Amino acid sequence: MDNLIAYDLRAEHLHEPMGIDVERPRFGWRLRSDRRGARQTGHHIVVEQLSAGNAEALEVWDSDWTASSDGVDVEYLGPPLETGKRYRWQLRLRDEAGVETDAVDSWFEMGLLRPDDRRARWIHRVTRVDGATDPPSDATPSLATRRLPPADHLRTEFQVRRPFVRARLYATARGVYVAWLNGARVGDHELAPGWTDYRDRIVYQTFDVTDLLNRGANALGIMLGEGWWSGFYGSDRRRQGFHYGELPEAWAQLRIDYADGSSELVVTGEGWTVSGGPILYSDLLMGESYDARRELGAWTEPGFDAAAWQPAEIDDGPLGRLVGIRDEPIRAVERLPAVACTRHGDGWILDFGQNISGRVRFTFRDESSGTIVRMRYAEVLQSDGSLYTENLRTAEATDTFVSAGAGVESYEPSFTSHGFRYAEVTGLAGRLEAGDAEAVVLRNDICWSGSFETSNPDVNQLERNIRWGQRDNFVAVPTDCPQRDERLGWTADVQVFFATAAYNADVQAFFDRWLRDVRFGQTEEGSFPDVAPKITILTEGAPAWGDGGVVIPWKQYQFFGDRRLLEESYASMVRWIDFLELNNPDGIWRRRAGKNYGDWLQVDATTDRHVLATAYFAYSTELVAAAATALRRDDDAARYRALAGRIRAAFRREFVDDNAMVKGDTQTSYLLALAFKLAPDLHDQFAGHLVRTIEEHGGSLTTGFIGVSLLCPVLTSIGRADLAYRLLLRDGYPSWLYSVRQGATTIWERWDGWTKEHGFQSAKMNSFNHYALGSVGEWLYRSVAGIDQAADSTAFRRLEIAPHIETGITWVTADYDTPVGRVRSAWRREKDGYLYEIAVPPGSRARLRLPGKGLREDGAPAAQGAGIEDVREYDGGTELVVQSGNYVFTAE
Ligand code: BGC
């Protein structure tokens, strides 16, 4: 593999996307080569439109040879792309010697681009119900679920009379849906269309159903549940359902392209019928109830007798804004077998060994018809071995299955998701074994981009817990937690976790989509919401929460080089700062601080809320100035830089005393002052106070959600990586490893979610799967493995690889797929020195700072040449500048 190779080809940041609707998609690829100094110097892209059946290709754009050095966001500049068409793009590169690579190709398919492409209408169940109702009794489900309606089954039949070459299903729901064509499930999306702020837009999905279509009779079926549209969601009991509407609706259009060049549409509207079925109700928070005796049989196949079904009603209201996909859908990405099944009371407790977000697939055997099996879920067990469910609050997270007495019966809920490690099963007449249950992990199917491993098993478990926290909470939106009655896109949680998430996985498309909801939730005055999409929690503008609307687009730009997103976000970022300034002209953020949550869940410390708010005001203003500079808006850059200066001066006047003590004197107050450079000339004094506040707490942290993300990075920046390591490796309460020692498999919401002394924290708010305290993951990559980029670099084009090696960890191996290609930083402490293994992708150049004296490569002193541009010693190590390639060094 000596050549330059382009891999991981993407359009609009997605692999072979179906149904995108951006006017000028951006192409992307990563580079690899084993050759030192390999570099891309140009690219050549040819885009062809593929006709149905992929027979002929029609060239639509030839980029010509264009000078370039990487595959980050190369924009399509050809003529307008057409509705529903598939395009192949072919890529060739030129390397540093002018040698051209072989062509590689990929494709993307456009969605419905013109408003009149949308011919289907929303359809729904019959709204006028005639039926007898009995009063509730102990046998009826809970009061919360009693009024939840059955999931709808909608169907139509149609004939295909001529030879066809291609078929596409465009579909979505006000609710959640699954479609079937002729008995086969269409696609593998779960909980589609996911959750966007439906008042703004709903995403439709595009499926290639050519292989499912029949010549002759066909049947199209849609199963529809409540989801985020009308089901229970969020924690405000006064408004816990009907967030967007009162009944779910489906929308679908099937396009058939015939061999003779004509085409036909089958759309939701006239001619559809609807029925209930086995799903008695389904709800994201409450769970699902399934009666196998009511299964409908072959309702998605032609010829099914639907005489008893009713005509579906058509919604005459506006269609709303339907948009193409932006990011990876939710899928069932992993299946975990139960690791144990134990008898408990009159039921069984299953342990899946991992706290996950998703559901369980059960197999029941030989139950008699009418047997009601009840499944409940929990993250942890009580000391008596029973489920601890109090922390789920009003989320009932209960599934029921009524057996049809059919021998071996399998059941997996369709339209619910739980956060759990354990499941309790009651009501079975027969036995249950571990092999009868499998946990199904649901999440947006985002590619992992980072891996990190060390010699220390506890740190590895912590890292796994962080990763699982991300898996479990990147479901539709970045949620705070997957289990209780909340599951909202809290803006601070994800703001502090963003960098960790972006090292772990290619979250670019996911955030691009979600940030639209952050912007949509911005008030007319300019205040960003505390949660996005904005439901239930209608508050806005809390310090460090609202700031997410500035911090995340900026970090997304730094990590992925996403300039278009920065441009799209810029006006809203500016409006946020203008709003804060208008209300706080003296620079101290006191007014319009919303719920001002402060350093949420800090322990044994009280960081002053105005200190935190004002620090964030300065930080966000500085980021807006940086964004203005990046977008070449020089006047804005100057204006916001000056404002940031005034806020810093105000901060100092108001909160810093003559001894450089910040009001409140907490770890977080110094972390903010140092991280956001609020008084650079007091750097050393602040650093001294920070260390003192840690020592005063017996060497322990006191930080909450906000401070914690700065703790290890700031300690490292003041030359105290040793102390950061000590905090990382502590396992007494409060610390990261405390929960690891208690057997945690995800990051807890609170440092003291459970302690030996006090047991469980208040069940009113005690999730065992919140990622915010896991924001230390960023530091593991950035400072322990040492994979970082220069302050003014984007997309890791200019790497800074500087591992910090301290006591407690003897080796680290980390890989990270940057937007340009894969970086590796591995180090090992050996008996008499260090061993380093570094890989720099083509398209980057790296500055390495490697601890140890007398750096050698292949036994000889590291010297200029063969990819190494510069070598110089510094106190305690060697600094090098290297081109792309793989390097192995030793040092003493
Ligand atoms: C959520 C948090 C969130 C917070 C706001 C909680 O209920 O779970 O993660 O940021 O409220 O203070």
Side-chain angles (χ1 to χ4, degrees), residues 559-864:
F559 267 83
F560 301 103
D562 196 338
R563 207 186 154 81
R564 193 183 284 178
L565 175 83
L566 194 65
E567 269 160 13
E568 283 170 4
S569 309
Y570 183 73
S572 69
M573 294 161 73
V574 162
R575 288 212 294 134
W576 168 245
I577 299 302
D578 290 352
F579 160 76
L580 295 184
E581 189 192 10
L582 183 74
N583 286 288
N584 302 283
D586 67 348
I588 303 296
W589 185 357
R590 288 194 193 84
R591 273 182 296 277
R592 299 306 301 273
K595 289 215 165 179
N596 206 344
Y597 306 104
D599 192 14
W600 190 248
L601 299 179
Q602 57 197 323
V603 282
D604 210 9
T606 311
T607 299
D608 185 272
R609 289 172 202 260
H610 297 137
V611 164
L612 186 143
T614 305
Y616 258 91
F617 186 12
Y619 173 51
S620 286
T621 306
E622 199 59 66
L623 295 188
V624 168
T629 305
L631 299 176
R632 302 199 186 90
R633 295 169 196 255
D634 296 340
D635 292 351
D636 280 10
R639 160 162 152 57
Y640 291 105
R641 204 141 276 146
L643 174 61
R646 288 200 298 281
I647 301 166
R648 284 195 294 269
F651 179 92
R652 186 170 179 156
R653 261 196 321 273
E654 186 79 16
F655 302 124
V656 185
D657 74 10
D658 294 344
N659 299 317
M661 284 180 52
V662 177
K663 187 175 178 199
D665 192 38
T666 64
Q667 293 172 16
T668 294
S669 59
Y670 297 110
L671 291 168
L672 293 164
L674 286 160
F676 301 161
K677 301 189 174 55
L678 298 180
D681 57 312
L682 299 178
H683 176 276
D684 293 351
Q685 288 101 306
F686 286 158
H689 288 309
L690 172 61
V691 172
R692 173 182 54 76
T693 52
I694 294 172
E695 280 162 1
E696 281 171 3
H697 284 86
S700 164
L701 56 77
T702 63
T703 47
F705 270 32
I706 308 305
V708 71
S709 64
L710 307 174
L711 186 55
C712 290
V714 167
L715 284 170
T716 305
S717 76
I718 63 167
R720 294 301 308 271
D722 61 315
L723 195 46
Y725 264 64
R726 284 226 299 278
L727 287 169
L728 175 75
L729 298 171
R730 270 178 70 96
D731 60 5
Y733 167 78
S735 68
W736 286 285
L737 296 189
Y738 182 74
S739 63
V740 169
R741 284 266 182 271
Q742 313 315 316
T745 59
T746 39
I747 300 294
W748 294 355
E749 175 174 29
R750 312 174 79 125
W751 295 114
D752 57 353
W754 183 90
T755 58
K756 289 186 189 109
E757 294 70 30
H758 306 293
F760 290 112
Q761 244 287 2
S762 164
K764 294 204 174 103
M765 203 190 79
N766 196 20
S767 137
F768 292 92
N769 203 353
H770 252 65
Y771 47 59
L773 299 182
S775 58
V776 68
E778 168 187 6
W779 176 76
L780 296 178
Y781 280 101
R782 220 189 265 283
S783 298
V784 177
I787 300 177
D788 199 357
Q789 61 180 333
D792 58 350
S793 158
T794 56
F796 291 81
R797 291 171 170 115
R798 275 178 304 118
L799 288 162
E800 303 261 337
I801 299 183
H804 289 266
I805 304 179
E806 302 288 342
T807 317
I809 296 181
T810 53
W811 61 261
V812 169
T813 301
D815 289 295
Y816 173 47
D817 273 324
T818 75
V820 292
R822 174 166 292 201
V823 183
R824 159 167 282 215
S825 170
W827 55 260
R828 180 182 289 277
R829 210 192 258 278
E830 311 233 279
K831 254 201 319 304
D832 42 9
Y834 305 93
L835 175 70
Y836 297 102
E837 209 188 301
I838 307 286
V840 176
S844 295
R845 160 179 277 122
R847 178 179 304 278
L848 317 180
R849 276 174 77 85
L850 305 177
K853 289 274 164 213
L855 196 75
R856 299 174 87 80
E857 200 194 3
D858 275 338
Q864 264 182 351

Side-chain angles (χ1 to χ4, degrees), residues 480-481 484 486 490 493 545 597 600 705 749 765 770:
D480 54 340
C481 53
R484 69 175 175 231
E486 195 146 5
W490 283 97
D493 306 33
W545 270 253
Y597 306 104
W600 190 248
F705 270 32
E749 175 174 29
M765 203 190 79
H770 252 65

Side-chain angles (χ1 to χ4, degrees), residues 83-340:
T83 276
K85 292 284 194 260
R86 183 175 286 201
Y87 295 87
R88 177 168 60 211
W89 60 286
Q90 216 175 56
L91 171 72
R92 278 187 306 153
L93 301 178
R94 226 175 237 162
D95 70 11
E96 72 285 3
V99 176
E100 292 172 14
T101 63
D102 293 340
V104 285
D105 61 66
S106 182
W107 57 263
F108 59 96
E109 188 169 310
M110 300 308 286
L112 306 171
L113 305 181
R114 300 173 305 238
D116 68 350
D117 290 332
R118 296 158 176 73
R119 295 297 175 80
R121 296 157 81 189
W122 290 106
I123 57 169
H124 56 74
R125 69 177 71 120
V126 180
T127 42
R128 210 173 310 121
V129 185
D130 291 324
T133 302
D134 294 323
S137 73
D138 285 349
T140 45
S142 71
L143 279 178
T145 57
R146 195 173 122 74
R147 285 176 192 276
L148 290 177
D152 297 315
H153 297 70
L154 297 139
R155 74 185 302 278
T156 195
E157 292 200 17
F158 57 95
Q159 293 289 327
V160 172
R161 299 186 202 282
R162 281 167 287 151
F164 59 89
V165 288
R166 183 180 118 130
R168 291 289 182 269
L169 179 69
Y170 303 94
T172 189
R174 288 173 165 164
V176 283
Y177 79 100
V178 176
W180 276 269
L181 185 57
N182 297 324
R185 191 188 203 278
V186 175
D188 56 1
H189 296 200
E190 296 290 349
L191 301 177
W195 185 22
T196 49
D197 198 319
Y198 300 140
R199 291 163 301 188
D200 176 41
R201 69 205 190 286
I202 297 185
V203 179
Y204 61 82
Q205 287 66 51
T206 304
F207 302 102
D208 181 351
V209 291
T210 315
D211 292 343
L212 304 182
L213 199 66
N214 291 337
R215 187 77 192 277
N218 288 268
L220 178 60
I222 298 172
M223 200 166 85
L224 182 63
E226 313 286 311
W228 295 273
W229 177 264
S230 47
F232 282 105
Y233 213 70
S235 52
D236 186 340
R237 298 193 77 172
R238 293 164 306 168
R239 49 174 100 218
Q240 225 179 345
F242 294 163
H243 293 290
Y244 300 97
E246 293 188 13
L247 84 164
E249 300 189 310
W251 183 95
Q253 62 186 43
L254 175 72
R255 182 189 161 112
I256 306 162
D257 289 330
Y258 292 107
D260 62 10
S262 64
S263 65
E264 197 178 346
L265 290 181
V266 175
V267 299
T268 45
E270 304 293 341
W272 283 69
T273 53
V274 62
S275 164
I279 300 180
L280 305 182
Y281 65 80
S282 68
D283 185 88
L284 290 165
L285 295 189
M286 299 304 164
E288 190 170 287
S289 178
Y290 189 92
D291 187 341
R293 296 169 305 180
R294 295 176 183 238
E295 277 173 13
L296 295 170
W299 69 280
T300 63
E301 290 174 36
F304 173 77
D305 177 10
W309 290 38
Q310 289 175 287
E313 291 180 6
I314 298 172
D315 181 342
D316 292 326
L319 184 62
R321 196 152 75 93
L322 304 185
V323 300
I325 56 149
R326 283 276 174 173
D327 65 332
E328 302 83 354
I330 300 172
R331 291 197 173 98
V333 288
E334 235 171 300
R335 287 161 191 277
L336 307 178
V339 294

